Amino acid sequence: MTTLVAWDESLLSYDLGDHPFNPVRVELTVALARDLGVLAAEGVRVVAPVPADDATLLRVHTADYLAAVKAAPDDPFFQRYGLNTPDNPVFDGMHEAGALVVGATIAAAEAVWRGEARRAVNIAGGLHHAMPARASGFCVYNDPAVAIARLLDLGAQRVAYVDVDVHHGDGVQHIFYDDPRVLTVSLHETPLALFPGTGFPAETGGPNAPGTAVNVALPPGCGDGGWLRAFHAVVPSVLRAFRPEILVTQCGADTYRLDPLADLRLTVDGQRAGYLALRDLADELCQGRWVATGGGGYAHLECVPRAWTHLLAILADHPLDPATLTPPTWRSLAADRCPGGEVPLRMTDGAPASFEPWAPGTEPDAVDRAILATRTAVFPLHGLDPYDARD
């Protein structure tokens, strides 16, 4: 088996109701990947996950928080631990749904670590804002963090986590901020403009783990060219210096140009280029060991299904030609699930997804300033020269 896909329709039960974090985006992703033959590709195995038990969740979350998540749906006036807010409304079966998302990411991580799969994915996961004792940013339990904790328990000594969601991966960073075994890298829109207000370049790790938090805070409107320039100016260098055994990624698609909650303005083609770069780094540094999750993404029709189908195809070692037509069966389903929207006809936005590599000494724009701020803050902690483009 090359790729494990942790999937079952029961993962759609993580449903916050009339809310941007709508499971339709996951439903349409799986339907598109299935209609394009991605899930039936050679070497791909779809496995139904089981919920994480309390002992597993307690590896990251506190016992009182678990009790609150279980009790909150029965109390309409419950409003503690970040629950029952506009961002994090309670819903029936909330604990069970959250535990299943965690269980799916755990299954993906265990399969890769044990050599049962080279790559694995939970497209319904990526709930990276949840804190040990607080729901945050649509996230009840932090499935990437629990999966990383499981990898550490299984003997991993160097786990790299790369988060390309438009929002800072604050929960995962917080949980491992002082653990030298975990490198967290987040590329996100500047916290001066966007939730959660963290992820500045100066956040570089705790006293026992200097340099293990890397934050690239990008200006609004950077587009494909700026985002890709920043990625390639920072991420490969710090990963090569850290020498991870396994790569875990959160692949939120809310960097998209039409996303209603953010403003980085990438295309599906730019997002696809980022996934290809992550694949190449996993192959170069981790013998291909790559665990991927979904994340944010609120252009439910225009972006998320196409972006994450590209991600699934890359994980399956069968990348799709961007010019591929979306199947008529999927178009019909998408029009039914998202009435009034314009259903994409191809797997591309027609963008070149090209970029100019970063180089020191040029007249900087806002993206270059963001790159240099991150390199200056963290590169010396890895023995790298922030002004040398070869590092």
Side-chain angles (χ1 to χ4, degrees), residues 218 222-231 354-355 367 371:
L218 292 164
C222 69
D224 291 346
W227 192 95
L228 289 167
R229 182 161 80 252
F231 180 99
S354 58
F355 68 99
V367 171
I371 291 169

Side-chain angles (χ1 to χ4, degrees), residues 8-387:
D8 185 82
E9 287 191 2
S10 56
L11 283 162
L12 300 176
S13 64
Y14 191 92
D15 187 350
L16 302 177
D18 184 13
H19 192 281
F21 204 80
N22 191 315
V24 70
R25 63 213 185 98
V26 179
E27 178 191 9
L28 290 178
T29 296
V30 174
L32 182 56
R34 183 175 288 126
D35 286 358
L36 287 172
V38 173
L39 299 185
E42 183 180 357
V44 174
R45 181 182 172 200
V46 179
V47 174
V50 297
D53 59 21
D54 284 6
T56 299
L57 295 170
L58 289 169
R59 185 63 177 80
V60 162
H61 296 287
T62 64
D64 58 338
Y65 178 60
L66 260 65
V69 172
K70 294 175 183 178
D74 296 326
D75 181 354
F77 302 104
F78 189 99
Q79 201 166 24
R80 290 178 291 155
Y81 299 96
L83 297 168
N84 211 7
T85 65
D87 272 4
N88 302 288
V90 299
F91 58 95
D92 289 341
M94 181 169 60
H95 166 75
E96 292 77 11
L100 184 62
V101 172
V102 175
T105 306
I106 288 279
E110 288 184 342
V112 173
W113 184 253
R114 291 172 173 160
E116 298 164 4
R118 187 164 177 245
R119 302 168 184 153
V121 56
N122 171 20
I123 208 69
L127 307 182
H128 60 165
H129 293 306
M131 295 291 178
R134 188 176 83 251
S136 178
F138 316 159
C139 307
V140 175
Y141 295 137
N142 195 315
D143 62 291
V146 179
I148 291 169
R150 173 61 61 87
L151 289 169
L152 297 177
D153 292 344
L154 292 174
Q157 292 299 308
R158 294 185 308 281
V159 179
Y161 170 79
V162 178
D163 190 316
V164 299
D165 195 282
V166 80
H167 302 92
H168 177 228
D170 58 333
V172 182
Q173 176 182 287
H174 170 79
I175 289 160
F176 298 106
Y177 199 65
D178 203 32
D179 191 329
R181 299 171 297 174
V182 181
L183 175 75
T184 63
V185 184
S186 180
L187 289 87
H188 46 267
E189 189 170 339
T190 172
L192 296 174
L194 196 65
F195 175 90
T198 57
F200 290 95
E203 299 168 32
T204 59
N208 296 310
T212 59
V214 181
N215 288 290
V216 186
L218 292 164
C222 69
D224 291 346
W227 192 95
L228 289 167
R229 182 161 80 252
F231 180 99
H232 287 280
V234 173
V235 179
S237 295
V238 293
L239 260 62
R240 287 168 184 147
F242 184 72
R243 296 179 296 109
E245 299 164 290
I246 187 169
L247 178 65
V248 179
T249 64
Q250 199 271 20
C251 297
D254 41 8
T255 53
Y256 190 60
R257 63 186 183 183
L258 298 180
D259 195 276
L261 301 188
D263 193 31
L264 284 190
R265 305 184 197 172
L266 273 67
T267 67
V268 165
D269 305 278
Q271 293 172 327
R272 178 179 180 273
Y275 305 151
L276 288 168
L278 290 168
R279 178 204 63 186
D280 292 347
L281 287 167
D283 287 350
E284 174 191 343
L285 301 171
C286 308
Q287 297 180 308
R289 289 188 288 265
W290 179 16
V291 179
T293 68
Y298 309 101
H300 300 150
L301 176 64
E302 302 88 347
C303 171
V304 180
R306 292 188 296 156
W308 285 351
T309 295
H310 277 305
L311 174 64
L312 287 164
I314 290 165
L315 285 155
D317 256 342
H318 295 280
L320 293 168
D321 184 336
T324 299
L325 290 167
T326 55
T329 50
W330 181 81
R331 293 180 200 169
S332 177
L333 175 67
D336 179 66
R337 293 291 190 269
C338 300
E342 185 174 347
V343 179
L345 302 182
R346 292 187 182 273
M347 294 295 290
T348 179
D349 288 327
S354 58
F355 68 99
E356 290 292 329
W358 176 81
T362 57
E363 185 66 28
D365 63 10
V367 171
D368 294 317
R369 289 194 293 272
I371 291 169
L372 190 56
T374 300
R375 288 174 65 103
T376 302
V378 79
F379 271 37
L381 300 174
H382 291 276
L384 302 172
D385 183 347
Y387 297 97

